[in-house]
Amino acid sequence: MPEGHTIHRLAARHRELFAGHVVTVDSPQGRFAAGAALITGRRLADTEAYGKHLFHHFDGERSLHVHLGLYGKFADGVPPVPEPVGQLRMRMVGGGHWLELRGPTACEVLDPGQVAVLRARLGQDPLRDDADPLVAYARVRASTKPVFALLLDQTVVAGCGLIYANEVLFRAGLAPTTEGSRISAACWQEIWDDLRALMKEGVARGRIDTVHTAHTPEAMQRAPRVDRHGGEVYVYRRPGQPCLVCGTAVQRGPMAGRNLYWCPACQP
Ligand SMILES: [Zn+2]
């Protein structure tokens, strides 16, 4: 599933292509036909990402809300608009560009009240300037759940996915099983600042890199990582391989229904 940095990149991309323009919206597949009718012919005022949720705000207090889930995908381009192929949920045309959306978990039109309700359910998004790490910390401190699970809980931290959760805990030298209630305010601030910096870099690069300069392939004279997720990481999907810092074999285990990776020596 895409992590928050991908959704923020999409929001920026769609703002660049469509903001300020009147667009036509339809649903060649039909499943979003009623929603499309509510926004077609309106001006797209702005776009916004909140965690893994994407919003297109239209004039007239209507917002398109998209959650890509596991299979959702956007494509865009310049006219001619391609003939619809396959299950095309939503198509938007305007401002000299077209946009296609396939396979999302959510694609719906909301009014401002419904947007507010959805946002109220979400935790703090490290990529947003209005995020407050202390609000997230209040939830962390009050919980006996492992910090790994809390990082993945979208009602605590919005936008953090599996790769960032695993990597930020390695970088903090923190055991992923550490209970939230045992995380100090200073430790949380450190995790938050690191997560924010890593995710901002992810937005800029379009991939997730988490290794310090000393552990890049060039610095270590090792082959670059080969993985469909790309990016240089410490532990994510490296089970059995030597830790880039200490050489200990990276471990993998299930936690909170997700794959946890850690170095038993660096994260005691
Ligand atoms: Zn290690």
Side-chain angles (χ1 to χ4, degrees), residues 170 243 245-248 263 265-266:
F170 176 88
C243 170
V245 173
C246 74
T248 303
C263 170
C266 294

Side-chain angles (χ1 to χ4, degrees), residues 104-122:
T105 295
C107 175
E108 57 185 352
V109 175
L110 305 178
D111 64 32
Q114 292 168 313
V115 171
V117 167
L118 199 159
R119 278 189 182 183
R121 285 209 312 264
L122 296 173

Side-chain angles (χ1 to χ4, degrees), residues 2-5 50-52 124-126 154 157-161 164 199:
E3 305 208 13
H5 71 297
Y50 204 116
K52 298 179 181 178
Q124 301 298 305
D125 177 347
Q154 299 297 303
V157 179
C160 179
Y164 283 122
M199 290 181 76

Side-chain angles (χ1 to χ4, degrees), residues 69-86:
L70 274 177
Y71 305 108
K73 241 183 166 49
F74 278 107
D76 63 57
V78 293
V81 179
E83 282 301 309
V85 177

Side-chain angles (χ1 to χ4, degrees), residues 58-177:
F58 290 87
D59 285 351
E61 304 205 312
R62 288 288 176 274
S63 297
L64 170 66
H65 164 235
V66 174
H67 191 292
L68 291 176
L70 274 177
Y71 305 108
K73 241 183 166 49
F74 278 107
D76 63 57
V78 293
V81 179
E83 282 301 309
V85 177
Q87 298 296 311
L88 184 48
R89 182 79 58 92
M90 193 269 303
R91 179 170 60 176
M92 181 181 295
V93 182
H97 290 87
W98 54 264
L99 179 70
E100 291 183 345
L101 172 63
R102 292 163 202 279
T105 295
C107 175
E108 57 185 352
V109 175
L110 305 178
D111 64 32
Q114 292 168 313
V115 171
V117 167
L118 199 159
R119 278 189 182 183
R121 285 209 312 264
L122 296 173
Q124 301 298 305
D125 177 347
L127 285 170
R128 289 180 63 97
D129 292 334
D130 59 5
D132 184 349
L134 291 178
V135 172
Y137 182 58
R139 294 280 310 276
V140 169
R141 192 180 47 186
S143 177
T144 54
K145 285 184 187 165
V147 62
F148 175 71
L150 291 166
L151 283 170
L152 289 172
D153 182 341
Q154 299 297 303
T155 69
V156 178
V157 179
C160 179
L162 201 51
I163 308 177
Y164 283 122
N166 276 294
E167 293 295 308
V168 82
L169 291 174
F170 176 88
R171 286 166 59 98
L174 196 63
T177 48

Side-chain angles (χ1 to χ4, degrees), residues 16-28:
E16 185 188 321
L17 299 186
F18 299 105
H21 297 286
V22 171
V23 295
T24 58
V25 181
D26 67 350
S27 177

